[in-house]
């Protein structure tokens, strides 16, 4: 089952992501951590994550970026 949501800071593959709060689209060309939405200061953001439009989303090796113990 493919994931449809990735929280800020998740390690993801290249793809296109949409802010779960405001709809801002972000394209990631290489594997890296998802940043916070750049529009988070302009409007209320409570979900603090991204909808996965294309790409693999949250990496299996880092499923929960806010949990410690790595």
């Amino acid at each position: 089952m493919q994931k449809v949501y990735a929280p800020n800071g998740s390690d993801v593959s290249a793809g296109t992501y949409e802010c779960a709060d405001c709809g801002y689209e972000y394209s990631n060309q290489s594997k890296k951590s998802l940043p916070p939405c750049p529009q988070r200061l302009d409007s209320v953001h409570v979900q603090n994550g991204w909808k996965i439009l294309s790409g693999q989303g949250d990496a299996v090796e880092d499923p929960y970026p806010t949990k410690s113990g790595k």
Side-chain angles (χ1 to χ4, degrees), residues 20-45:
D21 290 297
C22 72
Y24 176 87
E25 282 196 18
Y26 170 74
S27 291
N28 177 9
Q29 299 305 316
S30 62
K31 187 175 179 179
K32 63 178 184 178
S33 296
L34 283 171
C37 177
Q39 295 184 7
R40 70 189 181 284
L41 300 177
D42 297 332
S43 63
V44 176
H45 281 59

Side-chain angles (χ1 to χ4, degrees), residues 1-64:
M1 183 165 141
Q2 184 175 356
K3 293 184 180 185
V4 295
Y5 174 82
N8 293 346
S10 296
D11 290 338
V12 295
S13 65
T16 304
Y17 302 85
E18 178 182 278
C19 177
D21 290 297
C22 72
Y24 176 87
E25 282 196 18
Y26 170 74
S27 291
N28 177 9
Q29 299 305 316
S30 62
K31 187 175 179 179
K32 63 178 184 178
S33 296
L34 283 171
C37 177
Q39 295 184 7
R40 70 189 181 284
L41 300 177
D42 297 332
S43 63
V44 176
H45 281 59
V46 293
Q47 296 184 58
N48 297 309
W50 300 87
K51 294 178 187 174
I52 302 165
L53 302 180
S54 69
Q56 296 301 308
D58 207 4
V60 174
E61 299 79 27
D62 185 26
Y64 304 103

